[in-house]
Amino acid sequence: MPRLLVTLLSILVLAGCASLGQQEPLRVDLAGLDPMPSEGMEMRFAVKLRVLNPNDRAVGYDGVALNLEVNGQPLAYGVSDERGEVPRFGETVISVPVTISAFSMFRQAWGLSSKAPRQSLPYRLSGKLGGGPFGVERFNAEGELSLPPLVR
């Protein structure tokens, strides 16, 4: 009887581990930047992140942190205590307030002035969604920010 009980428990544990399976990473894209009221020598924006879940189980989150680099230089950082859930095979948009310091603005302006005019700038977004059932879910995204045409 004890041997049968141990065997059944072992099978249940293995089945439970197998049901967790490998989860595909979430896809996070920059969906928008909306201006927010600023103070002093800083600018504030609401960064909108579109989070896509390619898995067959919902992913919960409790808190978001992100860093935004533009043209290879740090530009903005932000955190939010927003909580929610990305549905299975679904998507959601999360808004994160970010701050751009005067020094970061100066560094970007200096970098742009020393190069030939461009129509777009490369960006890199990195961060994490916190507090889900499997801990922190890290993300990275890259793309191009389109610039308005120069007036001549």
Side-chain angles (χ1 to χ4, degrees):
M1 185 68 152
R3 186 178 293 176
L4 179 61
L5 185 59
V6 169
T7 302
L8 287 175
L9 283 175
S10 298
I11 290 172
L12 286 174
V13 168
L14 288 174
C17 290
S19 69
L20 291 176
Q22 289 286 42
Q23 190 166 282
E24 288 188 49
L26 299 176
R27 179 181 172 120
V28 179
D29 292 315
L30 183 62
L33 288 168
D34 294 333
M36 293 176 60
S38 302
E39 293 184 30
M41 295 180 59
E42 66 182 16
M43 293 176 60
R44 306 235 332 130
F45 290 90
V47 171
K48 299 208 174 174
L49 303 174
R50 182 169 308 279
V51 183
L52 290 95
N53 181 6
N55 299 293
D56 65 354
R57 98 175 25 128
V59 174
Y61 61 91
D62 185 5
V64 183
L66 68 85
N67 291 305
L68 176 62
E69 291 179 8
V70 173
N71 211 20
Q73 297 290 327
L75 179 66
Y77 58 90
V79 294
S80 172
D81 65 352
E82 188 172 329
R83 68 176 57 169
E85 185 176 87
V86 185
R88 62 186 285 281
F89 296 111
E91 63 182 55
T92 191
V93 175
I94 302 171
S95 182
V96 180
V98 298
T99 301
I100 302 174
S101 70
F103 180 71
S104 292
M105 287 185 284
F106 177 74
R107 184 175 45 226
Q108 288 292 329
W110 183 265
L112 288 175
S113 68
S114 64
K115 295 181 180 175
R118 303 171 72 166
Q119 292 301 310
S120 64
L121 295 173
Y123 75 85
R124 183 173 186 275
L125 189 63
S126 62
K128 61 185 176 180
L129 295 173
F134 301 106
V136 172
E137 183 81 34
R138 297 196 181 274
F139 60 85
N140 290 298
E142 295 181 7
E144 296 278 326
L145 294 174
S146 297
L147 298 175
L150 295 173
V151 178
R152 296 181 187 218

